[in-house]
Amino acid sequence: MASNYKYVILGGGNASGYAAAEFVKRGGGKGELAIITREPHVAYERPTLSKAYLFPEGAPRLPGFHTCVGGGGSKQEPEWYKEHGIDYKLKTEIKSADVSKKTLTSTSGETFSYEKLIIATGARAVDLATDFKTPGADLKGIYSFRDVEDADSILAAISDVKSRGGKVVVVGGGYIGMEVGSNLSKHGLDVTLVWPEKHLMERLFTPEVATFYEEYYKNKGIKLHPEALATSFEGKDGKVTHAVLKDGTKIEAQMVISGAGARPNVELFEGQIDLLKDKPGGVKVDGKMQTSNPDVYAIGDIAAYPLKRYGITTRQEHVANARQTGALAISAILAPGETQDFDYLPFFYSRVFDLGWQLYGSNAPDDETVFFGSKADKKFGTFYVRDGKVVGAFMEGGDNDENAALSKIAKAQPKAPSDLASLGVGLASKL
Ligand code: FDA
Ligand code: NAD
């Protein structure tokens, strides 16, 4: 059976929710748009999952965090899509795409045809068993983390894990490692982080900043194993009992969480549209999110686009990017004359324990870095300086005004003054 739509969004994640909001705002016609997703829920704010969703008390649940609440918009529950004539195909996995015939086919054999397709398939969590072939990674008790069902499985296992020793190993020292690790420790679990780099969040944090968080985690009872790889897992009766590190160290674990990165879901389109084989990977798009096929657009985690202000091609696995690229692609399709090329200011944030940081702009390993503020006051940051200009600004503990100042500085890219360290975010008032 074939269903025909003018527009199809493949993937029902963050980017699609914001694309749907823009579609309605721009007066897209009823019955013209379908969103197809394998998930059983309409689009929700994925960032909630590794944060408040895991809290032992007062945790939000769906429908509380459907898009677009995270971006300050209205909550789009299933009724919202019905009301606006958008067909939402839940629990529908697309197994093949034919861009020349303009069709998508689901695992159950259903075919969808489109005039314009927006690919929003996002990224998937690296799976230690299938992606890294880590021996023992298929034991029970080892979880990856991407969607509501993953979070629910982890939460449901906690009391059993506690009864058998309460020890959790989290693999990865990035976002998932830090956020999920901190929240599981709030459940009274004994958490160990294991990751290959020297410092936590090494891509973004300077060593000076990272050591603040590392000390914080240790004071909260979390054990840290930097520069360590989990090379195998051991188990008993099919359940994980230990993570084994490359140097032979065995760490007891009744639960293992993998936070070892994400991979863009682009395989359906291999050989059909231009994909980037090398970094940053993903689907190559122009400043209007249009792929090498004029009837196919790509948004969110999979879209690799020109980042105008730094003259590079980027792919951002972050929610502000998903929200903005989703809206932009719809605008480019429905109102091409009004749509400018994407001019994104990268934005990253996280919240762990009672801490919270934001980073605007760019940072690279060769940048000069300038520290400001006070670690003792939990209010400090880093400026990233390239060719004498401030290109990125990070701050822990910023309030709304300070975070707005970070954004203003990163956007303006001012020449770095000699008193940058003492000025801190005060630099913004001089711009
Ligand atoms: P997203 O992954 O949201 O959606 C993709 C959708 O496509 C899914 O519904 C998937 O099931 C579906 N799909 C894929 N292939 C399919 C197929 N073949 N058939 C049918 N459906 C298919 N960012 C940030 O800036 N701050 C933060 O705090 C966080 N926190 C955070 C926590 C956690 C736990 C995760 C996993 C991620 C974050 N992120 C984040 C990243 C942010 O959530 C991410 O960038 C956006 O969700 C990307 O939106 P997309 O719509 O591109 O993909
Ligand atoms: P990440 O890239 O932030 O961190 C991956 C970590 O795993 C790194 O420390 C990396 O070195 C490590 N790693 C890689 N290979 C490994 C191996 N073989 N063994 C051990 N460790 C290994 O990715 P993540 O934390 O898994 O997050 C997954 C996705 O979710 C990303 O797209 C991320 O942007 C997104 N996310 C974002 C936020 C946020 O922005 N606050 C929060 C959660 C998740």
Side-chain angles (χ1 to χ4, degrees), residues 67-123:
T67 62
C68 296
V69 290
S74 325
K75 192 165 55 163
Q76 299 164 192
E77 294 189 34
E79 297 68 35
W80 181 90
Y81 293 92
K82 276 199 198 102
E83 203 181 298
H84 292 97
I86 298 172
D87 268 4
Y88 216 120
K89 305 286 181 191
L90 298 170
K91 300 187 199 167
T92 306
E93 171 145 16
I94 295 301
K95 68 154 200 260
S96 66
D98 188 328
V99 166
S100 61
K101 290 193 182 132
K102 297 187 162 192
T103 57
L104 304 172
T105 305
S106 74
T107 44
S108 66
E110 215 179 336
T111 300
F112 303 91
S113 67
Y114 59 82
E115 291 175 30
K116 301 261 184 222
L117 171 67
I118 300 180
I119 312 170
T121 44

Side-chain angles (χ1 to χ4, degrees), residues 375-397:
K375 286 194 197 182
D377 296 338
K378 295 196 233 168
K379 229 175 185 5
F380 59 89
T382 311
F383 290 117
Y384 298 88
V385 179
R386 197 176 304 156
D387 301 327
K389 290 195 294 188
V390 184
V391 291
F394 162 92
M395 186 169 180
E396 166 58 46

Side-chain angles (χ1 to χ4, degrees), residues 399-419:
D399 59 24
N400 288 343
D401 290 344
E402 288 162 329
N403 289 330
L406 296 178
S407 165
K408 188 176 174 190
I409 293 165
K411 207 179 268 175
Q413 297 188 26
K415 193 167 164 284
S418 55
D419 58 348

Side-chain angles (χ1 to χ4, degrees), residues 345-396:
L345 178 71
F347 169 55
F348 313 92
Y349 73 93
S350 185
R351 290 189 291 274
V352 291
F353 296 116
D354 59 339
L355 305 173
W357 58 262
Q358 300 202 354
L359 191 159
Y360 287 86
S362 171
N363 78 301
D366 293 337
D367 291 342
E368 185 196 333
T369 56
V370 177
F371 182 87
F372 65 91
S374 151
K375 286 194 197 182
D377 296 338
K378 295 196 233 168
K379 229 175 185 5
F380 59 89
T382 311
F383 290 117
Y384 298 88
V385 179
R386 197 176 304 156
D387 301 327
K389 290 195 294 188
V390 184
V391 291
F394 162 92
M395 186 169 180
E396 166 58 46

Side-chain angles (χ1 to χ4, degrees), residues 3-319:
S3 310
N4 307 313
Y5 295 95
K6 194 163 179 186
Y7 310 108
V8 167
I9 301 177
L10 171 56
N14 259 113
S16 74
Y18 286 78
E22 184 72 14
F23 184 81
V24 169
K25 194 174 117 196
R26 294 222 170 246
K30 289 191 174 180
E32 289 184 342
L33 172 64
I35 301 178
I36 305 172
T37 186
R38 65 157 84 93
E39 287 193 83
H41 318 278
V42 303
Y44 54 87
E45 303 287 0
R46 202 168 296 286
T48 310
L49 295 178
S50 48
K51 301 179 189 63
Y53 197 89
L54 297 180
F55 287 176
E57 277 160 29
R61 289 290 176 267
L62 289 174
F65 58 99
H66 282 299
T67 62
C68 296
V69 290
S74 325
K75 192 165 55 163
Q76 299 164 192
E77 294 189 34
E79 297 68 35
W80 181 90
Y81 293 92
K82 276 199 198 102
E83 203 181 298
H84 292 97
I86 298 172
D87 268 4
Y88 216 120
K89 305 286 181 191
L90 298 170
K91 300 187 199 167
T92 306
E93 171 145 16
I94 295 301
K95 68 154 200 260
S96 66
D98 188 328
V99 166
S100 61
K101 290 193 182 132
K102 297 187 162 192
T103 57
L104 304 172
T105 305
S106 74
T107 44
S108 66
E110 215 179 336
T111 300
F112 303 91
S113 67
Y114 59 82
E115 291 175 30
K116 301 261 184 222
L117 171 67
I118 300 180
I119 312 170
T121 44
R124 61 181 177 276
V126 162
D127 183 282
L128 297 174
T130 53
D131 291 310
F132 291 165
K133 313 267 181 286
T134 310
D138 51 358
L139 284 161
K140 281 211 177 83
I142 303 184
Y143 302 84
S144 49
F145 198 101
R146 186 78 200 174
D147 54 31
V148 166
E149 286 62 40
D150 295 331
D152 286 345
S153 309
I154 290 165
L155 289 170
I158 286 177
S159 63
D160 175 57
V161 166
K162 274 188 178 169
S163 72
R164 293 185 294 116
K167 298 206 164 26
V168 180
V169 165
V170 182
V171 176
Y175 289 102
I176 296 278
M178 288 190 70
E179 293 181 4
V180 177
S182 68
N183 284 323
L184 290 184
S185 83
K186 290 185 194 162
H187 286 262
L189 293 162
D190 179 355
V191 175
T192 302
L193 300 191
V194 172
W195 77 100
E197 295 89 10
K198 198 166 177 184
H199 289 292
L200 286 174
M201 200 65 81
E202 203 163 271
R203 260 178 310 154
L204 299 183
F205 293 172
T206 61
E208 191 173 17
V209 165
T211 49
F212 167 84
Y213 294 97
E214 288 159 11
E215 286 307 314
Y216 207 89
Y217 273 53
K218 283 193 244 173
N219 287 334
K220 293 282 182 190
I222 295 181
K223 300 181 186 87
L224 304 182
H225 279 266
E227 298 183 275
L229 272 181
T231 47
S232 68
F233 298 96
E234 293 179 350
K236 194 171 169 231
D237 303 329
K239 292 181 178 173
V240 69
T241 58
H242 292 88
V244 185
L245 307 188
K246 198 174 176 189
D247 68 1
T249 306
K250 280 190 190 183
I251 307 175
E252 190 186 332
Q254 290 80 36
M255 174 185 268
V256 172
I257 310 290
S258 167
R263 301 263 163 93
N265 292 317
V266 295
E267 290 77 2
L268 286 173
F269 298 94
E270 259 163 20
Q272 306 196 61
I273 53 176
D274 287 355
L275 305 180
L276 293 182
K277 286 272 167 255
D278 298 324
K279 274 192 170 178
V283 178
K284 189 171 177 235
V285 294
D286 65 12
K288 298 200 168 52
M289 302 299 125
Q290 195 171 31
T291 71
S292 54
N293 181 311
D295 293 323
V296 181
Y297 290 70
I299 57 176
D301 279 10
I302 54 158
Y305 57 84
L307 190 55
K308 271 171 70 170
R309 59 186 64 229
Y310 311 112
I312 57 167
T313 297
T314 194
R315 192 174 64 75
Q316 302 265 321
E317 292 176 355
H318 290 280
V319 76

